[in-house]
Amino acid sequence: PREETRMSALVIIEVEEADKLKQVLKQHGILVDSRQNRFLRLSPFVYNSVEQITIAVLAITDTIQSGSYKTAKLETEGGPVT
């Protein structure tokens, strides 16, 4: 949305096997969410430092480029909503 009152700090990245990527990032302390096993969802906010956001972006980029997350086993138990 272009109206300021409707904007949010939500970033969506389309990536295959997003559920596995979410799990691998969580193991590294980076909390994201996934939708339909196709979208990775981040919500940076004012309390996140530039350094924290940079670390998250680099981790996401490195993990996607390496493809290592695709071999991760998915957890079967639920967890907190992120």
Side-chain angles (χ1 to χ4, degrees):
R2 297 193 185 275
E3 303 89 35
E4 275 189 41
T5 57
R6 297 186 60 211
M7 291 181 183
S8 69
L10 189 62
V11 178
I12 306 290
I13 300 169
E14 187 172 2
V15 60
E16 57 185 58
E17 299 190 66
D19 294 344
K20 289 181 179 181
L21 179 56
K22 173 184 84 168
Q23 186 169 305
V24 169
L25 293 170
K26 181 180 176 184
Q27 292 169 356
H28 294 284
I30 299 169
L31 300 180
V32 296
D33 203 357
S34 61
R35 295 288 190 264
Q36 303 170 350
N37 198 26
R38 188 173 148 208
F39 301 101
L40 190 72
R41 191 176 81 158
L42 294 84
S43 298
F45 198 62
V46 295
Y47 52 74
N48 293 113
S49 69
V50 172
E51 180 182 8
Q52 289 172 321
I53 294 170
T54 300
I55 290 169
V57 169
L58 290 175
I60 291 165
T61 302
D62 291 346
T63 306
I64 289 173
Q65 287 179 346
S66 75
S68 61
Y69 70 95
K70 293 180 181 181
T71 60
K73 301 273 190 223
L74 286 174
E75 293 177 358
T76 56
E77 61 185 58
V81 175
T82 57

